[in-house]
Amino acid sequence: MNAPQTMASPPRPAAKPRGPRWEPPGRAAQLWILTARQIRLVYADGRVVLFSVAQPVVMLLLISQVFGSLADPSVFPRDVPYIDFLLPALLVTTGIGTSQSAGVGLVRDMEGGMVRRFRVLPLSLPLVLVARSIADLTRSCMQLLVLVISGHLLFGYRAGGGVGGLAAALLLSTLVIWSLIWIFIALAAWLRKVEVLSSIGFFVNFPLMFASSAFVPIDVLPDWLAVVATVNPVSHAVEASRSLALGEQIGSEVPAALCAGLGLMLTMMLLAFRAFRRPSEE
């Protein structure tokens, strides 16, 4: 009787060598990618870019003509034309409108589902906010440059502090604008409603802009408004920018504006990061 034959099992296929394990890019690369994406979105619509650039020029034309025609030279610094008094202030106040648009854009990303997609990706969520702030800051920097060029060509603006003083005023204004952007990013991360954010923006923007020393000296304001303007942080930033651009002796305004801007920005960043980590359903 023949012995049963056993079938040999087929040879197992050789294991394929494993490739290198995929790892997400580092934080620097993530920030670069997110910022480049946000910049493309900010400048995608040429009409929005055109109107955002034209906004500070319109403000310069209107305020310089309205307040300049009514200004009493005796209440302003001696031998300082009104345009030289006004333009350093506009370097600071120009960023108020841009900062609100940064918050509105973040809310629209939340409502459109883009933030929900970011949550499932292997990236650091706070970098999404940092990228947005940087992208909107580039638009503000472009507005500041257009404002200075327009003041020079249309009204003969001359910085008493020279190129160095004007550059220092621009850098200080950029820091202040960045801190204002973070205020509205934090508000957007907490509120998550465009209507509510726009309503709050009205009550934040106008007191900060007009209840300050931006357009006239504090001494000529009514007593109650002078008190508000004295404690208004925009007044300190305006005075610091003005002293740098005019080439005046730097007092306590410049260090105070720098410290206030940095402190406010760091505080708003922490609040924004905390609120942004909440799920969209909360």
Side-chain angles (χ1 to χ4, degrees):
M1 187 174 181
N2 296 332
Q5 298 180 354
T6 59
M7 297 293 294
S9 59
R12 296 181 178 180
K16 296 182 179 180
R18 294 183 178 180
R21 182 179 179 182
W22 181 85
E23 294 183 358
R27 291 179 180 269
Q30 293 179 23
L31 180 60
W32 173 261
I33 295 171
L34 291 172
T35 303
R37 169 193 172 273
Q38 194 60 47
I39 288 177
R40 286 195 298 269
L41 293 177
V42 168
Y43 297 98
D45 194 336
R47 295 168 298 181
V48 176
V49 176
L50 177 62
F51 286 122
S52 64
V53 171
Q55 176 186 348
V57 179
V58 173
M59 289 287 292
L60 176 65
L61 289 172
L62 293 178
I63 296 178
S64 63
Q65 298 305 303
V66 173
F67 287 91
S69 61
L70 301 175
D72 184 2
S74 62
V75 302
F76 290 93
R78 181 178 298 178
D79 298 330
V80 176
Y82 185 70
I83 186 64
D84 295 353
F85 178 86
L86 173 66
L87 196 141
L90 291 180
L91 296 180
V92 176
T93 59
T94 294
I96 296 179
T98 304
S99 60
Q100 182 177 356
S101 64
V104 172
L106 177 60
V107 174
R108 295 198 183 281
D109 280 349
M110 292 180 176
E111 294 177 345
M114 182 58 64
V115 174
R116 192 177 297 111
R117 299 177 186 177
F118 284 144
R119 293 183 185 278
V120 300
L121 295 177
L123 57 83
S124 178
L125 278 180
L127 295 182
V128 176
L129 302 183
V130 177
R132 170 165 287 280
S133 70
I134 294 175
D136 286 285
L137 186 64
T138 60
R139 181 167 56 181
S140 296
C141 292
M142 182 174 59
Q143 290 177 328
L144 297 185
L145 292 177
V146 171
L147 183 62
V148 172
I149 295 173
S150 301
H152 175 73
L153 296 178
L154 298 177
F155 301 103
Y157 169 72
R158 297 291 187 275
V163 177
L166 181 59
L170 287 170
L171 291 176
L172 176 67
S173 302
T174 302
L175 174 63
V176 174
I177 292 172
W178 204 2
S179 65
L180 294 175
I181 288 175
W182 276 106
I183 291 177
F184 283 93
I185 287 180
L187 289 174
W190 282 100
L191 299 175
R192 303 186 178 187
K193 292 292 183 180
V194 174
E195 296 80 8
V196 179
L197 184 63
S198 300
S199 301
I200 293 178
F202 174 81
F203 289 100
V204 172
N205 290 342
F206 279 84
L208 285 177
M209 184 182 302
F210 290 99
S212 68
S213 61
F215 308 128
V216 294
I218 295 179
D219 299 338
V220 303
L221 296 175
D223 294 339
W224 67 271
L225 191 56
V227 173
V228 176
T230 301
V231 299
N232 188 347
V234 172
S235 294
H236 299 281
V238 165
E239 293 298 331
S241 175
R242 188 172 287 148
S243 63
L244 290 172
L246 292 176
E248 298 176 349
Q249 184 177 2
I250 299 176
S252 61
E253 295 292 348
V254 174
L258 291 174
C259 293
L262 288 174
L264 181 62
M265 183 169 59
L266 292 177
T267 302
M268 291 297 106
M269 287 174 68
L270 294 176
L271 293 176
F273 294 161
R274 181 179 178 182
F276 194 63
R277 292 183 184 276
R278 293 184 300 148
S280 303
E281 291 77 12
E282 293 185 8

